[in-house]
Amino acid sequence: MISKKSLLLGVMVGGAISSAATLLSTPASGKDFRNRAKYQGLEWKDMLENLKQDGLRLKNQLTKTSKEGAALVKELTQEMKSSVEEWKLAVEPHQENIYEYLDQIESSLKDLEEKINKQ
């Protein structure tokens, strides 16, 4: 991302180069040139002010968005913790039965293996 300093420096250098090129290539009188330069200077000033305002709006929007995102992540985390706790409470009473069923299944599989190996 371009930093503010490098953007401003680029705009200023570009403005200086374009002013010098205009000065060297202009066929107009000094008074006309000064009027055009003054007008161009005002345009550049307005453009820089608009860039500054846009940058500030962008900064404010990013700040607001990041705060909203942080709050949303915090809320989602709390909801997930709550859901996990509820799940644990729902599963815990049945946990012993689940282990018994798993032991029975394992025992049945061993018996089946033994019968297959005997044949």
Side-chain angles (χ1 to χ4, degrees):
M1 181 176 263
I2 298 176
S3 69
K4 291 179 185 178
K5 284 184 178 180
S6 63
L7 177 65
L8 184 60
L9 181 63
V11 169
M12 292 175 77
V13 169
I17 290 172
S18 67
S19 296
T22 302
L23 178 62
L24 295 174
S25 64
T26 185
S29 69
K31 185 176 180 181
D32 291 339
F33 175 73
R34 283 191 298 275
N35 286 335
R36 281 194 325 201
K38 181 179 176 182
Y39 178 73
Q40 235 178 3
L42 291 174
E43 283 182 348
W44 280 97
K45 184 178 175 185
D46 288 343
M47 185 180 72
L48 288 175
E49 185 62 31
N50 288 338
L51 283 173
K52 178 182 171 186
Q53 293 301 320
D54 288 346
L56 288 174
R57 279 193 293 272
L58 180 62
K59 176 187 160 200
N60 291 337
Q61 184 63 40
L62 286 172
T63 302
K64 180 181 174 185
T65 303
S66 65
K67 286 179 182 178
E68 289 173 355
L72 190 63
V73 167
K74 185 176 180 179
E75 182 181 330
L76 180 62
T77 302
Q78 292 299 327
E79 288 178 10
M80 288 177 64
K81 284 180 181 178
S82 175
S83 294
V84 168
E85 288 299 320
E86 288 175 11
W87 180 79
K88 280 183 180 179
L89 291 174
V91 170
E92 212 166 16
H94 305 289
Q95 194 171 5
E96 192 63 38
N97 290 337
I98 292 171
Y99 287 129
E100 288 176 16
Y101 289 134
L102 287 175
D103 286 340
Q104 288 175 1
I105 291 170
E106 187 177 354
S107 175
S108 296
L109 286 173
K110 284 182 183 178
D111 290 343
L112 186 59
E113 269 182 30
E114 289 174 4
K115 287 180 182 178
I116 292 174
N117 287 337
K118 287 182 182 178
Q119 290 178 359

